Amino acid sequence: MDAVYSKYDFAQSVKEVKQIGYDTIEFWSWWNKDLDEVAHVAKDAGVSIAAFCTKFVSLVDETMRETYIVGLAESIEAAKRLNCSQLISQVGQELEGVSREVQRQSLIDGLKASVPLLEREGITLLVEPLNTLVNHQGYFLASSEEAFEIVKEVGSQHVKVLFDIYHQQITEGHLITNIRENMAWIGHFHAAGNPGRHELNNGELNYEQIFKAIDETGFTGYIGLEYFPLEEPSVGLKHLISDK
């Protein structure tokens, strides 16, 4: 919601999404929203909430570990209030003067430290690699391959990768092969057109084939639409519904 409907009233946007034919939403930050209002709007519209972000605290900086866990605990409480079972986590900017190996180990250790809390509360944490070429210069984790390796090392079904199709097209390509070979470690998807991060039918990505490949893996989770529309939001959303 925070991308596609960034310029619109939240409650009215949720109602429009439901009227178009979608029954699930996601958003970015929870701490700048009235959670009671979000819960009421979602219930009133008849939509569920697939995911939102945990607090933006670095996982690659080991001195921020305790702060990250506190933020995660707060985010889990917000998720429980909204009947949401997935949280999205960024990992932080690369640290100057600290080796990549040390930062990677801090990331792994932080995720491992999060596992008991996630398992106890039944929440899945979605670790998101982002492209560093266009949108997120200096971010530590760009490669889906490295993200999969990290998640495997953590070794919990409650820590998975958020595979953002837009970001990974920019970073590495080979989307369908990477998705097929690593679906066991993917918990959620994001989608946007490339270049420009606009509607899915705008750009070089063949989403019909990408979605077909995802379906063929048996994936039963969600694909979040995280793009900035060139037209009114309803236009692109209706186009996707009509293409089903």
Side-chain angles (χ1 to χ4, degrees):
M1 299 299 297
D2 290 341
V4 177
Y5 282 93
S6 62
K7 301 175 183 178
Y8 298 82
D9 175 74
F10 180 79
Q12 289 300 120
S13 300
V14 173
K15 290 179 182 178
E16 179 171 286
V17 164
K18 178 64 174 181
Q19 290 168 355
I20 292 170
Y22 295 84
D23 61 7
T24 311
I25 63 169
E26 68 172 79
F27 50 86
W28 290 333
S29 57
W30 61 266
W31 48 91
N32 59 356
K33 294 179 174 62
D34 182 329
L35 294 185
D36 289 334
E37 180 185 5
V38 172
H40 172 74
V41 168
K43 183 178 180 181
D44 187 56
V47 301
S48 59
I49 298 172
F52 54 84
C53 294
T54 189
K55 286 193 170 180
F56 300 132
V57 180
S58 175
L59 275 163
V60 301
D61 184 349
E62 61 184 357
T63 68
M64 299 300 294
R65 178 83 41 78
E66 184 176 347
T67 303
Y68 180 87
I69 297 297
V70 169
L72 176 61
E74 293 171 348
S75 300
I76 287 173
E77 288 305 308
K80 289 163 64 177
R81 288 176 63 181
L82 298 176
N83 295 313
C84 175
S85 63
Q86 297 188 126
L87 290 170
I88 299 166
S89 181
Q90 268 85 64
V91 306
Q93 296 293 102
E94 195 163 5
L95 303 176
E96 291 186 14
V98 181
S99 73
R100 188 164 183 88
E101 291 75 17
V102 168
Q103 293 180 74
R104 187 178 188 275
Q105 191 59 53
S106 174
L107 169 52
I108 292 167
D109 291 344
L111 292 173
K112 285 183 175 179
S114 303
V115 167
L117 183 58
L118 297 167
E119 291 181 343
R120 183 171 70 245
E121 301 293 351
I123 299 291
T124 299
L125 190 65
L126 304 163
V127 179
E128 185 172 21
L130 305 171
N131 87 76
T132 57
L133 180 63
V134 177
N135 302 105
H136 298 278
Q137 289 83 0
Y139 184 72
F140 180 82
L141 185 63
S143 159
S144 71
E145 180 181 4
E146 184 173 17
F148 293 133
E149 290 173 353
I150 288 168
V151 165
K152 290 175 193 178
E153 192 164 342
V154 173
S156 170
Q157 285 299 304
H158 288 270
V159 179
K160 293 195 171 185
V161 173
L162 193 169
F163 192 101
D164 189 305
I165 296 164
Y166 163 79
H167 285 305
Q168 294 314 311
Q169 169 68 0
I170 293 171
T171 299
E172 60 199 11
H174 305 291
L175 296 168
I176 289 176
T177 297
N178 288 342
I179 289 167
R180 283 174 172 162
E181 292 181 352
N182 296 286
M183 184 57 80
W185 298 280
I186 297 174
H188 193 66
F189 288 91
H190 278 166
N194 184 60
R197 206 174 182 181
H198 301 306
E199 287 87 344
L200 272 61
N201 60 318
N202 186 307
E204 66 190 358
L205 287 161
N206 186 341
Y207 271 105
E208 181 179 357
Q209 290 302 312
I210 294 169
F211 289 163
K212 180 174 180 288
I214 292 172
D215 284 342
E216 288 172 350
T217 68
F219 179 72
T220 58
Y222 295 102
I223 300 173
L225 303 176
E226 192 184 47
Y227 63 82
F228 299 94
L230 294 172
E231 301 184 82
E232 288 295 310
S234 61
V235 176
L237 295 178
K238 288 177 180 176
H239 185 274
L240 282 172
I241 287 282
S242 67
D243 278 354
K244 281 187 175 181

